[in-house]
Amino acid sequence: MVNWSRVSILLGVLFASVTQAFLIDSIDGNSWKNSHYSRTIDLSKSYVKELSIIEAVNTGSKPQDEYYFTVNDGFDSIPHISLISFSTINPISLEVTYEELIPNKLYKVKFPTPISPNSNIEFKVTYVITNILEPLPSKIAMDDVQSLLFRGNKFAYSPYKTEDYTLIFTGVSKGQEMELYLQDPSAINVTENAPDMKPVVDGKTLKYGPFVEELDAFTLSPMGLLYDHNRPLTFVHNLNRSVWIPASNVDKLSIEEYYEITNNGAQLSTGFSRVDWLKGRYQAVRNHWALSQLEIPSSASNFDDYYFTDLVGVVSTHQIIKDHLILQPRFPLFGQWHYNFTLGWNENIGEFLHQINNSEDEYILRVPILNAIRDASYNNTYLSIYLPENAEFVNVSSPVKFESLTVDYELSYLDVSKGHTKVTIHFQDLFDDVNKLAVLVKFKYTKLSYVIKVAKISGFVFIGLLSYYLLSLIDLSITDKKKK
């Protein structure tokens, strides 16, 4: 019997592969030349940041403003690109628009002005790669130092030729290059006779190049970098972040977050011993690959009435130190250990909610996308904003691409009709620095809606009291009241 669902999936994958190959092959590699290409890869955190600075020369015969940028991969070593941004450096600093042609692979960049033939433009590309690092070996003892393996292309995987190339790794205290074992080398177009670049170590920096000979387009040389990283790889599988907007003139709004987290670092090779953990004072020195503390930035206006709970109950091990809220789980999280908890607090509503000028009924709500745990990456983030009952959602603006937007209703205390208007925004592949960005939600809420709600509540209370009074007048006794 033919499994048609599996056949359709295989055909879809085949069609996507053919489409991607067609898009890449259709790029005119002679239209540009990279006169300088510099890559800086930051390995100091649990995710990877890459900064590429490119000086491109128009080698065509007419002005052009489109440039194709390919992520420096070539053998599917990069699973997810979290955020990517383009901006010019020279002649002036401007944000550059782009179009994603192949997710996590190919982007079409459009410069603010066309570049004349034989003229150059310098621009930079910044992107974050999540869930790419893996511990090697995967299991170690409690007192061992954790080593991580980074897989990547040693050269610039560009559709254009490159004349001057430099690769720099930062945040590496101790590392070594190693050859990768590829399961199917024939399926990867590895460049034959690729140049052999040797690194130079300078403190926590590992530098390859500059290499001043011409590199062909799509130069691919897979490499692995094994380096010491004795910190946990904090990974949030799911974050449900809820923001409740009050309907009355209350000066506070409520925020609650539910986390499901994992340490993607090395696993413990032996059974866990709390005696050994305390004896080694690993939690006190805060330099261990087990996740024992969660640091969240705080301010004077928040976290003054917070609560921290898990499935067992209230967790008492928490404190605020130098504008940081430090949460300590009930147990340290070694590699592939899981933990879930809830954090809630109140905020001053004036810092988030603003009334639109010349309008009595329209409001703008500004909410940070994350209240970020330090040095963590996020798989799924659900930002749910609960508008007052009978509020009308207008639109949302986000600096980060979101997967979906849903508008629903949810009943809560003292709701008398459909409930709060619930706006849920789903994000994927975020990281802690996204807490600097915020979404804007526009909605309408009239004073009449509030008055109607209060009137309905008062009416229900009156009907309830009246019903109780009328029931009290009914004699339900079963004794015989006839006089003899």
Side-chain angles (χ1 to χ4, degrees):
M1 184 176 179
V2 180
N3 189 336
W4 292 108
S5 61
R6 186 172 182 181
V7 171
S8 62
I9 293 175
L10 293 175
L11 290 176
V13 173
L14 178 62
F15 177 77
S17 301
V18 172
T19 304
Q20 293 180 11
F22 175 77
L23 285 173
I24 294 176
D25 292 340
S26 64
I27 299 174
D28 183 7
N30 297 319
S31 58
W32 293 92
K33 176 180 64 177
N34 300 321
S35 59
H36 176 75
Y37 201 123
S38 174
R39 296 171 59 196
T40 302
I41 300 176
D42 185 3
L43 299 176
S44 62
K45 293 195 172 184
S46 59
Y47 48 86
V48 177
K49 286 184 177 181
E50 178 162 340
L51 168 65
S52 296
I53 298 178
I54 304 171
E55 184 178 1
V57 180
N58 181 0
T59 55
S61 59
K62 58 182 180 180
Q64 53 182 334
D65 58 358
E66 292 183 352
Y67 178 101
Y68 290 89
F69 175 80
T70 307
V71 172
N72 295 298
D73 187 0
F75 63 109
D76 295 331
S77 63
I78 296 179
H80 303 288
I81 298 293
S82 176
L83 290 180
I84 187 169
S85 63
F86 299 82
S87 60
T88 60
I89 300 176
N90 188 22
I92 54 178
S93 177
L94 293 173
E95 186 176 353
V96 177
T97 60
Y98 66 93
E99 178 184 356
E100 186 182 56
L101 300 180
I102 303 177
N104 305 318
K105 295 182 184 295
L106 179 63
Y107 299 84
K108 183 170 72 173
V109 182
K110 190 174 182 63
F111 298 124
T113 57
I115 309 301
S116 303
N118 298 320
S119 297
N120 65 330
I121 182 171
E122 190 175 14
F123 63 98
K124 64 179 180 179
V125 186
T126 305
Y127 55 89
V128 174
I129 312 169
T130 59
N131 205 22
I132 188 176
L133 303 173
E134 60 178 284
L136 189 69
S138 60
K139 295 183 179 182
I140 57 177
M142 186 182 295
D143 56 352
D144 287 342
V145 175
Q146 176 181 256
S147 296
L148 300 181
L149 176 64
F150 169 77
R151 304 170 186 265
N153 186 5
K154 197 173 184 178
F155 296 96
Y157 195 69
S158 174
Y160 314 106
K161 293 182 178 180
T162 301
E163 290 184 341
D164 185 351
Y165 175 71
T166 304
L167 173 63
I168 301 173
F169 290 97
T170 62
V172 180
S173 59
K174 180 182 178 182
Q176 61 177 347
E177 183 181 345
M178 60 184 301
E179 185 177 353
L180 292 180
Y181 171 74
L182 303 177
Q183 294 182 350
D184 188 7
S186 60
I188 301 172
N189 190 20
V190 178
T191 303
E192 297 182 358
N193 301 320
D196 185 19
M197 292 197 305
K198 299 297 182 182
V200 176
V201 180
D202 183 12
K204 292 187 177 182
T205 299
L206 197 64
K207 183 177 181 180
Y208 292 82
F211 183 77
V212 293
E213 298 180 17
E214 187 176 78
L215 294 173
D216 293 333
F218 298 115
T219 300
L220 174 58
S221 179
M223 68 166 290
L225 184 66
L226 189 67
Y227 63 100
D228 291 351
H229 186 88
N230 215 35
R231 298 292 298 161
L233 301 182
T234 308
F235 185 73
V236 180
H237 288 282
N238 293 296
L239 166 61
N240 295 326
R241 179 167 159 83
S242 303
V243 180
W244 292 80
I245 311 300
S248 58
N249 294 325
V250 179
D251 61 352
K252 295 285 186 179
L253 58 79
S254 300
I255 300 178
E256 185 174 88
E257 300 177 331
Y258 171 73
Y259 289 86
E260 295 176 354
I261 66 174
T262 297
N263 182 3
N264 280 343
Q267 300 180 46
L268 195 60
S269 59
T270 59
F272 173 65
S273 171
R274 187 169 290 276
V275 174
D276 294 340
W277 174 259
L278 296 175
K279 186 184 300 183
R281 297 180 56 83
Y282 300 113
Q283 184 166 311
V285 297
R286 297 174 59 190
N287 185 27
H288 194 269
W289 47 276
L291 178 59
S292 59
Q293 294 182 339
L294 302 168
E295 297 185 22
I296 300 177
S298 65
S299 63
S301 63
N302 61 5
F303 293 143
D304 55 349
D305 56 352
Y306 65 91
Y307 55 90
F308 173 32
T309 63
D310 58 16
L311 294 181
V312 178
V314 177
V315 185
S316 60
T317 50
H318 51 78
Q319 56 184 326
I320 295 180
I321 302 177
K322 294 182 179 180
D323 295 333
H324 277 78
L325 175 63
I326 311 297
L327 305 178
Q328 295 182 7
R330 296 182 185 273
F331 50 86
L333 274 68
F334 294 89
Q336 303 307 312
W337 288 25
H338 309 288
Y339 187 66
N340 50 3
F341 66 93
T342 298
L343 174 66
W345 70 97
N346 294 322
E347 288 271 12
N348 294 325
I349 195 170
E351 299 180 6
F352 297 83
L353 187 64
H354 304 279
Q355 193 170 18
I356 298 178
N357 294 333
N358 303 322
S359 176
E360 296 181 354
D361 303 332
E362 293 185 320
Y363 298 85
I364 289 288
L365 180 68
R366 183 183 182 277
V367 180
I369 298 175
L370 290 178
N371 175 48
I373 297 176
R374 180 182 177 185
D375 191 12
S377 56
Y378 298 72
N379 182 23
N380 291 303
T381 300
Y382 298 91
L383 175 60
S384 297
I385 299 170
Y386 294 84
L387 304 177
E389 189 177 20
N390 298 322
E392 178 186 352
F393 168 73
V394 178
N395 58 37
V396 63
S397 175
S398 172
V400 179
K401 176 184 176 182
F402 51 82
E403 299 296 319
S404 63
L405 172 68
T406 58
V407 180
D408 203 352
Y409 300 94
E410 184 167 321
L411 289 169
S412 182
Y413 299 108
L414 297 180
D415 286 343
V416 293
S417 57
K418 293 183 293 186
H420 282 63
T421 304
K422 179 182 178 182
V423 181
T424 303
I425 312 171
H426 176 207
F427 299 93
Q428 276 193 321
D429 302 323
L430 300 182
F431 57 100
D432 56 347
D433 283 349
V434 176
N435 70 333
K436 301 173 184 176
L437 304 176
V439 298
L440 299 178
V441 178
K442 183 180 179 181
F443 67 96
K444 294 181 180 179
Y445 185 67
T446 63
K447 293 182 179 179
L448 180 61
S449 298
Y450 177 67
V451 172
I452 292 175
K453 178 173 181 175
V454 174
K456 284 184 177 181
I457 295 175
S458 302
F460 289 145
V461 172
F462 175 76
I463 292 174
L465 293 175
L466 180 61
S467 300
Y468 177 78
Y469 172 73
L470 294 176
L471 288 174
S472 65
L473 298 179
I474 300 176
D475 186 5
L476 300 177
S477 63
I478 59 175
T479 57
D480 187 6
K481 296 183 178 181
K482 294 182 179 180
K483 296 182 178 179
K484 293 182 179 181

